[in-house]
Amino acid sequence: MTRRPSPSRCRHLAALSCGLALALPAQAASAIASSAVAWWVWPLALFVTCFLIGIVAVPAGIGGGTLFVPLIGGFFPFHLDFVRGAGLLVALASALAAAPVLLRGGLASLRLALPLALLASASSIGGALLGLALPAAAVQTALGLIVLGIVVLMLSSKKSEFPQVDRPDRLSAALRMNGVFIDGASGRQVDWHVHRTPLGLVLFLMIGVLAGMFGIGAGWANVPALNLLMGAPLKVSAGTSGLVLSLVDSSAAWVYINRGAVLPMIAVPSIVGMMLGARIGARLLGVLKGSVIRKMVIALLLFAGVRALLKGTGLWL
Amino acid sequence: MNRAPIAEAGAAQSGAQLLYAVLLDWGARIGLLMLVLGFALYLLGVLVPLVPLEQMPGLWSQPSGSYLTQTGTPTGWGWLALVHKGDLLNLVGVALLAGCSLPPLLGVAGLYLRQRDWPMAAICMLIVAVIALAASGALTAGH
């Protein structure tokens, strides 16, 4: 008699399969990078890789752009300029697809997003210009360090479902950066407001530079800033982060478009693959174990971060 | 997706937020549609590309500056004059996606002005100015 595998074992196996499948195209791409292959192999491999990134990004709770730039930049033969341009568009398309639903549901707040997006989108232009002006090796090295920093952040950061905000600060009160949403899990209405807005604005100024320079999206930084620093509820933070991202990435993407750093042959398969994968990922949310996927994504980021660092420093070309 | 809670929650959202959602939704849909259609025409060879597909592997590993020099691809908005080329046609969809936040921003700025919410109207207009500056091509950089 054969033993039926337990559901948790199935989930672990499914997660492991996803991880292997995600790593394989990138590894294969790296292995044959120097050999002469038909031109269509790369866009196809890119589409498959982005499809798999899209599947794991949703259960892992990160934006696909965070995985896209270090993985594609590290293992595909494309120059980092084009990878960052495509990465921004991947993050932008994902944010644009989600923002209207989140706004209608009250999970994204326009009044909270707009002041933060103003500073972040302005600074993202500076970041994009800086990224295109610096030598690729320097950007690659910095990218490696940033990705390793994201790993540390993912491992160590805490989240607060409903942070305690005793009193809104003057600026957030003047701009009415508050709102109400109905929590789907509990069904209760949550009134929220934020504090420490001036500090939040400074932080978003820096986040914009990173988003523009590396094209990795910035959900990994937006959510902790909104949730832990400014005190927005976790769901509102995640939703508003997407809305901020849609504006920040728009500004930075224009710099890349105008500088000719957007190649349709790289950008379009990435966007379509990622969006299709994200739809599958959203459906698999109930099947895959989020914590296992998250650990796997952290391991992938660690690998990609080390790869970017070694590639940038010339130790592993 | 259960639409009831969203509809219920939507009633609680401001008019500006809902207007922004509607305009952004349409803009993003049109942008994505144009992107996919343009790419299909490019791949199927309906329109001759500026850079032949076979030459791409030798070019995409170079910095964007070298790519532009070797292929004669224009910077800024110069691609509009070559939009009949299969590869550059794709930039229409890309530009629509990168610019689709402008109509909702202008829409809610008008709404905030009517409500005499001057700070939020000013913030909307400043974001429009930032995106327009980035889109103008006035900012240049290179390796």
Side-chain angles (χ1 to χ4, degrees):
Chain A
M1 196 174 92
T2 54
R3 277 175 58 195
R4 281 174 67 93
S6 68
S8 68
R9 194 178 168 83
C10 282
R11 281 195 293 266
H12 281 75
L13 279 172
L16 185 64
S17 306
C18 278
L20 285 173
L22 185 60
L24 281 174
Q27 283 290 9
S30 176
I32 56 176
S34 56
S35 63
V37 294
W39 67 266
W40 51 264
V41 170
W42 298 112
L44 187 63
L46 185 62
F47 174 81
V48 172
T49 306
C50 288
F51 179 73
L52 294 168
I53 290 175
I55 291 177
V56 297
V58 176
I62 61 162
T66 308
L67 273 170
F68 178 86
V69 177
L71 276 177
I72 306 303
F75 298 103
F76 277 70
F78 312 131
H79 192 274
L80 199 55
D81 285 355
F82 301 123
V83 176
R84 284 177 294 150
L88 273 172
L89 289 172
V90 164
L92 175 64
S94 306
L96 287 173
V101 179
L102 295 168
L103 279 166
R104 288 189 187 109
L107 292 174
S109 165
L110 193 63
R111 298 194 75 94
L112 176 58
L114 289 176
L116 304 171
L118 171 59
L119 290 186
S121 56
S123 64
S124 76
I125 296 175
L129 289 170
L130 192 61
L132 286 169
L134 286 171
V139 179
Q140 189 97 45
T141 306
L143 174 68
L145 293 172
I146 289 289
V147 170
L148 293 177
I150 294 172
V151 169
V152 173
L153 194 68
M154 285 182 80
L155 285 170
S156 62
S157 76
K158 295 178 176 62
K159 290 170 183 167
S160 176
E161 194 78 26
F162 301 107
Q164 180 70 34
V165 178
D166 294 329
R167 212 172 48 159
D169 60 89
R170 281 185 191 175
L171 186 57
S172 72
L175 293 174
R176 285 186 280 143
M177 294 163 77
N178 51 43
V180 56
F181 85 100
I182 296 165
D183 184 29
S186 62
R188 74 182 172 114
Q189 184 171 298
V190 180
D191 292 288
W192 58 267
H193 45 253
V194 294
H195 58 179
R196 304 184 194 123
T197 306
L199 194 56
L201 289 168
V202 173
L203 205 56
F204 272 84
L205 201 65
M206 292 189 280
I207 290 171
V209 174
L210 296 180
M213 184 183 282
F214 300 112
I216 50 175
W220 54 273
N222 288 347
V223 176
L226 284 162
N227 180 232
L228 298 177
L229 176 71
M230 296 180 70
L234 185 58
K235 288 180 181 174
V236 174
S237 301
T240 303
S241 163
L243 185 57
V244 173
L245 214 57
S246 71
L247 292 163
V248 173
D249 288 349
S250 287
S251 304
W254 276 114
V255 177
Y256 283 81
I257 295 167
N258 286 324
R259 290 292 310 159
V262 172
L263 276 191
M265 189 52 77
I266 297 174
V268 183
S270 307
I271 293 170
V272 176
M274 190 78 77
M275 295 194 88
L276 290 176
R279 291 182 78 92
I280 305 282
R283 290 182 182 199
L284 289 177
L285 263 177
V287 181
L288 297 176
K289 196 170 183 182
S291 60
V292 177
I293 291 281
R294 192 174 167 83
K295 282 176 193 160
M296 187 193 79
V297 165
I298 289 173
L300 267 175
L301 274 175
L302 186 63
F303 181 50
V306 170
R307 165 73 173 136
L309 195 59
L310 295 178
K311 194 175 177 181
T313 51
L315 294 171
W316 179 17
L317 292 172
Chain B
M1 183 188 294
N2 183 4
R3 290 185 177 276
I6 287 186
E8 195 180 311
Q13 307 316 319
S14 71
Q17 184 146 326
L18 295 178
L19 175 67
Y20 192 98
V22 170
L23 293 176
L24 190 68
D25 202 4
W26 277 105
R29 281 169 194 239
I30 293 168
L32 275 172
L33 184 67
M34 288 300 294
L35 196 71
V36 173
L37 281 177
F39 195 67
L41 293 174
Y42 176 31
L43 274 191
L44 295 172
V46 177
L47 296 173
V48 178
L50 180 69
V51 183
L53 291 168
E54 298 76 23
Q55 290 182 19
M56 291 303 291
L59 293 164
W60 59 35
S61 56
Q62 300 182 26
S64 56
S66 302
Y67 177 89
L68 296 174
T69 309
Q70 290 188 39
T71 61
T73 305
T75 53
W77 285 86
W79 58 269
L80 266 182
L82 297 170
V83 81
H84 56 282
K85 299 288 185 185
D87 43 358
L88 296 181
L89 173 69
N90 285 272
L91 292 181
V92 173
V94 170
L96 284 172
L97 278 182
C100 73
S101 292
L102 292 175
L105 281 169
L106 290 168
V108 295
L111 204 61
Y112 285 136
L113 282 175
R114 282 198 291 280
Q115 293 169 353
R116 296 177 181 274
D117 190 344
W118 312 121
M120 290 307 286
I123 287 170
C124 287
M125 294 311 294
L126 282 171
I127 298 175
V128 168
V130 167
I131 297 176
L133 176 68
S136 69
L139 304 165
T140 56
H143 292 297

